[in-house]
Amino acid sequence: MSKHKIVDSGKGEPQSKKTAGHWSQGLYAAVSDESLHVYSDDDLVIIKDKYPKAKYHYLVLPKVKIANLKALDKSHIPLLTKMYDRAADLTKDCSVKKFRYGYHAIPSMGLLHLHAISQDFNSPSLKTKKHWNSFTTDYFVDSHKLIEMLKSHGKVNDMSHHSKLLSEDLRCHVCKTTIKNMPTLKTHIQTCFKDS
């Protein structure tokens, strides 16, 4: 795997490998830490999510510094397309076949990142309603939808109103049944989710 510097998309200056120290900035360090890379090329790296919310949960990170969705414009469409394509290539041979590829409307981590997440949601790290709703409501913005938004509007629409989606009732992502709590939901998913 080759070594690459993180480059600031605005000035083209290399980013430091050090983070500001806050957990929300941890992805910047992950781009530079080759021991975490599942895939790497000149434009992006793919890592396993440190706290996966499903059997397979990858993060696709650009090597240019893009803080969040608000920083995107039409010039980023080729990079976003490549991020999706590499994630789809990586996940095609996984034992779970159903995946979603997208972005959190309001991410908790600095540095833009695409989630590639299997739809089994079989993970001990999936613990809260917030976790669940961040991947199963419109809070999770599909990669293709985001690219179409940029093509149509040249920017990402304001998504601040999406934060309320995190507190919605728990619903099965397959049958849409309302479930009372996370342990019951996790049991329900094991019988409801069919990977075919």
Side-chain angles (χ1 to χ4, degrees), residues 39 46 82-94 101:
Y39 173 88
I46 302 176
K82 183 175 182 178
M83 290 169 67
Y84 167 81
D85 289 344
R86 293 303 166 267
D89 287 346
L90 177 71
T91 59
K92 70 182 176 193
D93 294 326
C94 292
Y101 308 89

Tab-separated table of all heavy atoms in Angstrom, residues 39 46 82-94 101:
chain	number	residue	atom	x	y	z
A	39	TYR	N	-8.218	-0.503	1.974
A	39	TYR	CA	-7.952	-0.126	0.587
A	39	TYR	C	-7.387	1.283	0.593
A	39	TYR	O	-7.763	2.109	1.433
A	39	TYR	CB	-9.256	-0.164	-0.228
A	39	TYR	CG	-9.087	0.388	-1.626
A	39	TYR	CD1	-8.685	-0.433	-2.675
A	39	TYR	CD2	-9.321	1.738	-1.901
A	39	TYR	CE1	-8.509	0.075	-3.959
A	39	TYR	CE2	-9.150	2.254	-3.178
A	39	TYR	CZ	-8.747	1.420	-4.202
A	39	TYR	OH	-8.570	1.921	-5.455
A	46	ILE	N	-10.067	3.340	2.533
A	46	ILE	CA	-11.213	2.681	3.155
A	46	ILE	C	-10.706	1.998	4.408
A	46	ILE	O	-9.687	1.303	4.386
A	46	ILE	CB	-11.874	1.658	2.211
A	46	ILE	CG1	-12.338	2.336	0.914
A	46	ILE	CG2	-13.046	0.971	2.914
A	46	ILE	CD1	-12.929	1.390	-0.119
A	82	LYS	N	-16.307	8.103	-7.212
A	82	LYS	CA	-15.240	7.132	-6.991
A	82	LYS	C	-15.346	6.506	-5.599
A	82	LYS	O	-15.126	5.298	-5.435
A	82	LYS	CB	-13.868	7.795	-7.164
A	82	LYS	CG	-12.716	6.821	-7.019
A	82	LYS	CD	-11.371	7.464	-7.300
A	82	LYS	CE	-10.252	6.441	-7.186
A	82	LYS	NZ	-8.938	7.015	-7.501
A	83	MET	N	-15.692	7.303	-4.590
A	83	MET	CA	-15.859	6.765	-3.240
A	83	MET	C	-16.926	5.676	-3.226
A	83	MET	O	-16.729	4.602	-2.648
A	83	MET	CB	-16.193	7.894	-2.256
A	83	MET	CG	-15.023	8.833	-1.996
A	83	MET	SD	-15.473	10.334	-1.083
A	83	MET	CE	-15.923	9.663	0.526
A	84	TYR	N	-18.044	5.956	-3.874
A	84	TYR	CA	-19.113	4.949	-3.959
A	84	TYR	C	-18.630	3.715	-4.723
A	84	TYR	O	-18.827	2.576	-4.268
A	84	TYR	CB	-20.361	5.527	-4.631
A	84	TYR	CG	-21.328	4.438	-5.006
A	84	TYR	CD1	-22.187	3.900	-4.049
A	84	TYR	CD2	-21.328	3.887	-6.283
A	84	TYR	CE1	-23.033	2.851	-4.373
A	84	TYR	CE2	-22.169	2.844	-6.612
A	84	TYR	CZ	-23.021	2.325	-5.653
A	84	TYR	OH	-23.848	1.279	-5.974
A	85	ASP	N	-18.020	3.915	-5.877
A	85	ASP	CA	-17.580	2.792	-6.710
A	85	ASP	C	-16.603	1.880	-5.963
A	85	ASP	O	-16.719	0.648	-6.030
A	85	ASP	CB	-16.920	3.287	-7.999
A	85	ASP	CG	-17.909	3.908	-8.979
A	85	ASP	OD1	-19.140	3.706	-8.827
A	85	ASP	OD2	-17.439	4.623	-9.898
A	86	ARG	N	-15.648	2.462	-5.250
A	86	ARG	CA	-14.667	1.647	-4.518
A	86	ARG	C	-15.347	0.889	-3.368
A	86	ARG	O	-15.008	-0.257	-3.094
A	86	ARG	CB	-13.516	2.498	-3.980
A	86	ARG	CG	-12.626	3.087	-5.038
A	86	ARG	CD	-12.006	2.033	-5.960
A	86	ARG	NE	-11.443	2.647	-7.147
A	86	ARG	CZ	-12.085	2.814	-8.301
A	86	ARG	NH1	-13.332	2.391	-8.441
A	86	ARG	NH2	-11.501	3.382	-9.330
A	87	ALA	N	-16.291	1.525	-2.696
A	87	ALA	CA	-17.022	0.849	-1.621
A	87	ALA	C	-17.828	-0.320	-2.176
A	87	ALA	O	-17.818	-1.423	-1.605
A	87	ALA	CB	-17.933	1.839	-0.905
A	88	ALA	N	-18.507	-0.105	-3.293
A	88	ALA	CA	-19.291	-1.181	-3.913
A	88	ALA	C	-18.388	-2.326	-4.363
A	88	ALA	O	-18.742	-3.499	-4.199
A	88	ALA	CB	-20.100	-0.626	-5.088
A	89	ASP	N	-17.210	-1.995	-4.906
A	89	ASP	CA	-16.251	-3.036	-5.298
A	89	ASP	C	-15.814	-3.858	-4.088
A	89	ASP	O	-15.735	-5.085	-4.155
A	89	ASP	CB	-15.004	-2.423	-5.944
A	89	ASP	CG	-15.249	-1.893	-7.346
A	89	ASP	OD1	-16.293	-2.215	-7.951
A	89	ASP	OD2	-14.387	-1.120	-7.832
A	90	LEU	N	-15.519	-3.169	-2.989
A	90	LEU	CA	-15.038	-3.845	-1.783
A	90	LEU	C	-16.097	-4.781	-1.204
A	90	LEU	O	-15.783	-5.870	-0.753
A	90	LEU	CB	-14.625	-2.811	-0.726
A	90	LEU	CG	-14.167	-3.378	0.615
A	90	LEU	CD1	-12.803	-4.062	0.471
A	90	LEU	CD2	-14.085	-2.280	1.660
A	91	THR	N	-17.344	-4.365	-1.214
A	91	THR	CA	-18.394	-5.122	-0.531
A	91	THR	C	-19.041	-6.214	-1.380
A	91	THR	O	-19.782	-7.032	-0.846
A	91	THR	CB	-19.491	-4.169	-0.016
A	91	THR	OG1	-20.052	-3.452	-1.125
A	91	THR	CG2	-18.930	-3.193	1.002
A	92	LYS	N	-18.729	-6.265	-2.655
A	92	LYS	CA	-19.410	-7.243	-3.527
A	92	LYS	C	-19.116	-8.689	-3.153
A	92	LYS	O	-19.919	-9.571	-3.442
A	92	LYS	CB	-19.092	-6.981	-4.994
A	92	LYS	CG	-17.678	-7.294	-5.407
A	92	LYS	CD	-17.442	-6.968	-6.863
A	92	LYS	CE	-15.983	-7.216	-7.201
A	92	LYS	NZ	-15.613	-6.665	-8.472
A	93	ASP	N	-18.002	-8.964	-2.490
A	93	ASP	CA	-17.657	-10.336	-2.123
A	93	ASP	C	-17.930	-10.659	-0.657
A	93	ASP	O	-17.534	-11.719	-0.167
A	93	ASP	CB	-16.183	-10.610	-2.449
A	93	ASP	CG	-15.908	-10.580	-3.942
A	93	ASP	OD1	-16.794	-10.991	-4.724
A	93	ASP	OD2	-14.821	-10.119	-4.330
A	94	CYS	N	-18.598	-9.768	0.052
A	94	CYS	CA	-18.925	-10.015	1.462
A	94	CYS	C	-20.018	-11.078	1.570
A	94	CYS	O	-20.833	-11.244	0.655
A	94	CYS	CB	-19.394	-8.727	2.132
A	94	CYS	SG	-18.092	-7.486	2.309
A	101	TYR	N	-25.062	2.620	0.968
A	101	TYR	CA	-23.892	3.489	0.859
A	101	TYR	C	-24.382	4.924	1.009
A	101	TYR	O	-25.204	5.376	0.207
A	101	TYR	CB	-23.221	3.307	-0.504
A	101	TYR	CG	-22.925	1.855	-0.825
A	101	TYR	CD1	-23.865	1.060	-1.478
A	101	TYR	CD2	-21.715	1.291	-0.451
A	101	TYR	CE1	-23.599	-0.271	-1.760
A	101	TYR	CE2	-21.438	-0.042	-0.730
A	101	TYR	CZ	-22.389	-0.821	-1.381
A	101	TYR	OH	-22.114	-2.143	-1.655
